[in-house]
């Protein structure tokens, strides 16, 4: 299976299956001299993990990172950084019936048609378990971006099914298991998910992610556009069905006089572009939004076909997420950070000698 790598200079390759012995990644092109210890992966891995609240899958993984290479005396050496996490809580018997049946709405069917063989346990390589390694790699990218440029990449759950936040507070986002920016609404979400889980169904969600303090000039026309690579990276997250940059699909009904972000010497007056023009960062916040579909592993029986060519009914057992969007915020942050780090290194390689040209608009407007 190819296409398990992304990034041109900061290249991340992931490997492993949900019910295999381990998952891992190799980061090639990592700059030398970045301080990194195994404990530093803990925070984001826990934010992404299953089993940290009753609103997610109850699989309890240790998610203990082993650094196999590329780090000496606590610092990256410039050689490939290899990270490994052993799977410790896979329960493969839940998937016995899925060996010869396809969940409707799942990659079960397309993997089978493409490869003629599949690891049906937990969806194998198609499982969201793989996102663990993107988050681990993202920890290094976030750290480098923060230390070099004071870039902060952070996200929030912007919609859960029909529910949208009525208020916004960054402090609230990290204080509840949903990454929800409106603390007063958390009981409402709890009731919603409890009822949904009881019904055996799942629901979709929207996650927003923003990178602050991104310098002007990152991104490459034409095929290496920052927004193009961001869209590709975000779309590669399991269950993502839509990506918006800045105004996104709202641009359809905007007029040019409204959509354009006017420039003043003290800043842009708006940010409909999402911080990117012509595929290159403007110096404003880089803003993206993703739509995640409702997961297909649900208890409500659905019609499907099996390997014997029969029409059958399937009902997915096991430990599943009623809303995968609840755990997607750290994954979206990681993908944004990884794309930015790769583009930063590419910009440095080609354009470092350009230096600062005038006039340059400081500050930021959302
Ligand atoms: C997943 C199904 C469940 C989730 C899993 C994603 O796992 P299992 O294969 O054990 O049924 O728990 O998520 C993780 C294990 C994780 O670490 O994110 C799926 O079908 O995508």
């Amino acid at each position: 299976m190819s296409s398990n790598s992304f990034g041109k200079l900061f290249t991340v390759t992931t490997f492993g299956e949900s019910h295999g012995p381990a998952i891992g990644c190799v980061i090639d092109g990592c700059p030398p001299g970045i301080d990194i210890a195994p404990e530093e992966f803990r925070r984001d891995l826990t934010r992404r993990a299953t089993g940290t609240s009753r609103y997610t899958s109850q699989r309890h993984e240790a998610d203990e990172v082993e650094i196999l290479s590329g780090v000496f005396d606590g610092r990256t050496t410039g050689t490939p950084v290899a990270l490994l996490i052993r799977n410790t809580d896979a329960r493969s018997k839940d998937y016995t019936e899925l060996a010869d049946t396809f969940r409707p709405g799942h990659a079960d069917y397309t993997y089978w048609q493409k490869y003629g063989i599949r690891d049906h346990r937990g969806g194998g390589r198609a499982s969201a378990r793989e996102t663990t390694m993107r988050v681990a790699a993202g920890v290094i990218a976030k750290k480098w971006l923060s230390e070099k440029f004071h870039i902060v990449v952070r996200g929030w759950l912007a919609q859960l099914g029909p529910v949208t936040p009525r208020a916004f507070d960054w402090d609230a986002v990290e204080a509840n298991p949903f990454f929800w920016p409106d603390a007063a609404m958390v009981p409402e979400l709890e009731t919603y998910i409890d009822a949904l889980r009881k019904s055996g169904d799942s629901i979709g969600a929207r996650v927003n992610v923003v990178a602050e303090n991104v310098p002007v000039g990152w991104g490459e026309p034409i095929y290496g556009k920052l927004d193009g690579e961001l869209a590709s990276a975000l779309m590669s997250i399991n269950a993502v069905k839509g990506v918006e940059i800045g105004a996104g699909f709202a641009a359809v009904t905007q007029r040019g006089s409204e959509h354009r972000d006017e420039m003043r010497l003290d800043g842009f007056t708006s940010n409909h572009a999402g911080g990117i023009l012509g595929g290159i960062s403007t110096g404003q916040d880089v803003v993206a939004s993703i739509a995640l579909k409702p997961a297909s592993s649900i208890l409500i029986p659905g019609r499907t076909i099996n390997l014997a060519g029969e029409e059958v009914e399937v009902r997915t057992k096991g430990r599943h997420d009623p809303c995968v969007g609840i755990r997607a915020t750290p994954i979206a942050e990681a993908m944004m950070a990884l794309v930015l780090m790769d583009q930063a290194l590419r910009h440095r390689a080609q354009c470092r000698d350009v230096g600062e040209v005038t006039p340059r608009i400081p500050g930021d407007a959302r």
Side-chain angles (χ1 to χ4, degrees), residues 18-355:
S18 182
H19 292 221
I23 50 176
C25 70
V26 176
I27 305 159
D28 206 359
C30 187
I34 304 174
D35 287 314
I36 200 83
E39 313 80 75
E40 291 183 70
F41 297 98
R42 175 59 44 213
R43 177 176 178 268
D44 272 353
L45 289 181
T46 302
R47 289 170 77 230
R48 192 218 66 92
T50 48
T52 52
S53 79
R54 70 170 193 268
Y55 310 107
T56 66
S57 157
Q58 291 306 299
R59 180 164 161 176
H60 289 273
E61 282 293 339
D63 281 350
E64 213 58 68
V65 174
E66 294 172 44
I67 302 176
L68 301 184
S69 106
V71 178
F72 179 70
D73 275 348
R75 297 201 303 156
T76 58
T77 59
T79 61
V81 176
L83 307 177
L84 191 84
I85 292 176
R86 291 178 201 276
N87 291 324
T88 54
D89 189 30
R91 215 170 62 190
S92 301
K93 66 174 170 19
D94 291 340
Y95 287 87
T96 308
E97 282 168 36
L98 287 177
D100 59 3
T101 310
F102 309 107
R103 282 166 284 186
H106 198 278
D108 290 341
Y109 178 69
T110 48
Y111 270 55
W112 175 255
Q113 290 294 332
K114 184 171 180 66
Y115 299 106
I117 180 170
R118 94 191 146 97
D119 180 353
H120 65 279
R121 304 162 308 161
R125 180 80 179 140
S127 169
R129 178 105 190 101
E130 185 270 345
T131 61
T132 316
M133 297 322 303
R134 306 163 185 235
V135 170
V139 166
I140 298 177
K142 276 183 175 179
K143 183 166 188 180
W144 186 83
L145 291 167
S146 162
E147 287 180 358
K148 291 269 177 208
F149 301 98
H150 307 291
I151 290 174
V152 178
V153 182
R154 50 187 177 165
W156 70 95
L157 186 61
Q159 189 167 345
L160 189 151
V163 189
T164 51
R166 291 188 282 271
F168 189 93
D169 175 6
W170 274 120
D171 290 336
V173 172
E174 295 299 326
N176 66 77
F178 303 97
F179 299 92
W180 195 255
D182 182 350
M185 289 180 70
V186 170
E188 196 179 314
L189 299 189
E190 290 171 346
T191 307
Y192 184 90
I193 293 292
D194 282 339
L196 182 75
R197 194 188 268 295
K198 220 172 261 172
S199 75
D201 217 338
S202 62
I203 191 75
R206 176 193 281 267
V207 169
N208 290 353
V209 60
V210 52
E212 294 153 308
N213 302 327
V214 176
V216 65
W218 291 4
E220 295 176 345
I222 297 291
Y223 302 109
K225 287 183 172 184
L226 180 56
D227 41 1
E229 295 196 349
L230 203 46
S232 171
L234 292 170
M235 189 62 100
S236 76
I237 299 171
N238 314 57
V240 171
K241 283 295 186 189
V243 179
E244 294 185 314
I245 307 289
F249 280 87
V252 173
T253 55
Q254 287 178 330
R255 302 210 168 194
S257 54
E258 179 193 0
H259 180 83
R260 66 183 177 182
D261 303 310
E262 291 186 307
M263 293 180 274
R264 314 303 301 149
L265 283 174
D266 62 353
F268 290 87
T269 59
S270 54
N271 189 8
H272 296 115
I276 304 171
L277 289 172
I280 299 171
S281 61
T282 61
Q284 294 178 278
D285 288 355
V286 174
V287 184
S289 186
I290 57 175
L292 296 112
K293 70 177 185 180
S296 52
S297 300
I298 54 177
L299 285 169
I300 296 178
R303 292 174 298 170
T304 187
I305 56 171
N306 65 16
L307 291 183
E310 298 157 338
E311 291 184 346
V312 292
E313 207 169 65
V314 68
R315 183 175 170 273
T316 314
K317 297 182 195 129
R319 305 164 292 180
H320 297 288
D321 293 273
C323 174
V324 288
I326 293 175
R327 296 195 289 124
T329 294
I331 308 167
E333 291 171 359
M335 295 313 280
M336 170 91 88
L338 291 166
V339 168
L340 285 172
M341 179 153 183
D342 185 48
Q343 287 281 7
L345 294 172
R346 286 152 65 178
H347 177 68
R348 193 165 80 171
Q350 188 191 13
C351 297
R352 188 173 186 165
D353 295 342
V354 173

